[in-house]
Amino acid sequence: MAFEFKLVRRVEFAETDMAGIVHFSNFFRYMENVEHAFYRSLGASVIMKNLTPPHGFPRVHAECDYKRPIRFEDNLEIHLLVRDKRAKVLSYLVKFRKLTENGPSEEIARGLLTVVCVAHHPDGSMTSAPIPEFLATQIE
């Protein structure tokens, strides 16, 4: 059963601001990156077109607290932990750590992300739906 997932990436120049640190908005992209990688590791996707109707996981809540800066070419570990799992809702805690040659160092930010499973209907509407069983059984 999966309850956590880690993704490591290098900070790109385009992700930084005039002060040379990662712009705050990129932490939300990083949370989305680790969430998508988590689903792929379970044989799924954030958009499941193979279901009828297709299912997806739009965000209903996102927040991030920043503790320390991270800069261009720093290595960043993004650690997703399943915080809450309900029939139609998943909530994640996301911890951001700057990596050093000796492994993880200081935590630089912490985020929360809540998503709801929805069915995408042909008329463009969405309704909440139970997390598909093949995925729900893999998430703890």
Side-chain angles (χ1 to χ4, degrees):
M1 298 279 278
F3 64 91
E4 68 178 330
F5 185 82
K6 290 183 183 179
L7 180 66
V8 176
R9 67 182 314 279
R10 187 178 304 269
V11 173
E12 300 294 331
F13 182 75
E15 298 166 343
T16 62
D17 61 17
M18 292 291 289
I21 61 175
V22 170
H23 190 268
F24 76 92
S25 63
N26 285 303
F27 285 87
F28 293 93
R29 289 183 183 93
Y30 298 156
M31 284 192 276
E32 186 171 71
N33 292 158
V34 73
E35 178 198 18
H36 290 202
F38 175 62
Y39 290 136
R40 284 191 300 271
S41 77
L42 301 174
S45 175
V46 71
I47 299 292
M48 292 176 278
K49 294 180 181 179
N50 59 322
L51 299 177
T52 305
H55 283 50
F57 290 92
R59 286 95 190 86
V60 295
H61 180 83
E63 67 180 74
C64 193
D65 292 317
Y66 311 96
K67 300 176 181 193
R68 304 213 185 307
I70 190 162
R71 294 173 165 48
F72 171 57
E73 291 191 334
D74 284 345
N75 286 312
L76 176 64
E77 177 187 86
I78 309 159
H79 186 181
L80 176 144
L81 296 114
V82 176
R83 188 175 133 187
D84 186 31
K85 175 187 158 193
R86 289 179 264 152
K88 300 177 182 181
V89 178
L90 292 169
S91 292
Y92 306 112
L93 169 65
V94 182
K95 296 179 182 180
F96 300 90
R97 296 182 74 82
K98 178 181 174 182
L99 293 179
T100 64
E101 290 181 14
N102 301 327
S105 62
E106 60 196 326
E107 186 174 299
I108 59 165
R110 185 174 284 218
L112 296 173
L113 186 63
T114 302
V115 300
V116 174
C117 186
V118 299
H120 294 272
H121 302 289
D123 66 0
S125 66
M126 293 184 294
T127 55
S128 63
I131 298 167
E133 187 176 342
F134 81 92
L135 183 57
T137 58
Q138 296 184 76
I139 298 174
E140 188 175 316

